[in-house]
Amino acid sequence: MIKAFKNLLTSVDVLNTVNGGISEPLLSLREHQYGREVRIRVPGISQEALHVEVNGNDLTVFYFIPVQSLGKVLQMPHLVYNQPIPYFIEVTGIKAVFEDKELVVKLPFNELSNGYNRKIEIEKE
């Protein structure tokens, strides 16, 4: 339910209209020998405001935007990154750190990163 709600907000860009505009995140993907990295910088958003979560098989980076509605302040999520985690990433090894004002999400490879290979013997009936 929350995922569908987040996707809806992103797809119709409600928060941008309601909140008077938001910063465009800078996103880069890098691949290294040990794994992949997602580097994210969101101008105007503090490091403490960013959240990184694994939900099912998706990696999500988001922050909340306060929106006033009917006299109440609601915290509306704004997605920065939401993608499926590839099968060759070690999900339990995913880490997030800040380097030079950038959020760096490290996605280490697992043993399947070189492919899965095995010889299959043919059984006789």
Side-chain angles (χ1 to χ4, degrees):
M1 173 86 172
I2 291 174
K3 181 180 174 183
F5 182 68
K6 289 178 187 177
N7 289 338
L8 174 65
L9 288 177
T10 301
S11 65
V12 296
D13 209 8
V14 169
L15 291 178
N16 196 30
T17 304
V18 171
N19 207 39
I22 54 176
S23 297
E24 187 69 29
L26 304 169
L27 180 85
S28 67
L29 304 171
R30 297 180 183 174
E31 188 160 326
H32 301 284
Q33 182 179 356
Y34 65 86
R36 292 184 174 173
E37 286 182 346
V38 179
R39 292 184 163 266
I40 299 170
R41 184 179 298 190
V42 186
I45 301 298
S46 70
Q47 292 179 353
E48 297 79 24
L50 290 171
H51 301 273
V52 180
E53 292 183 0
V54 173
N55 292 311
N57 197 39
D58 291 333
L59 176 67
T60 305
V61 178
F62 64 97
Y63 60 92
F64 291 104
I65 297 175
V67 175
Q68 189 162 1
S69 175
L70 301 171
K72 293 183 181 181
V73 177
L74 304 171
Q75 296 296 326
M76 304 294 284
H78 181 73
L79 287 178
V80 176
Y81 181 85
N82 186 38
Q83 292 294 320
I85 300 168
Y87 69 91
F88 49 82
I89 297 298
E90 182 60 47
V91 176
T92 59
I94 295 174
K95 296 186 185 323
V97 297
F98 282 99
E99 295 177 3
D100 299 325
K101 298 185 181 182
E102 279 186 325
L103 172 64
V104 181
V105 182
K106 299 183 181 212
L107 307 160
F109 289 139
N110 62 25
E111 69 275 358
L112 296 176
S113 63
N114 292 326
Y116 180 77
N117 301 301
R118 80 176 176 122
K119 183 177 179 180
I120 299 176
E121 297 294 328
I122 300 172
E123 298 178 16
K124 299 192 191 247
E125 291 185 32

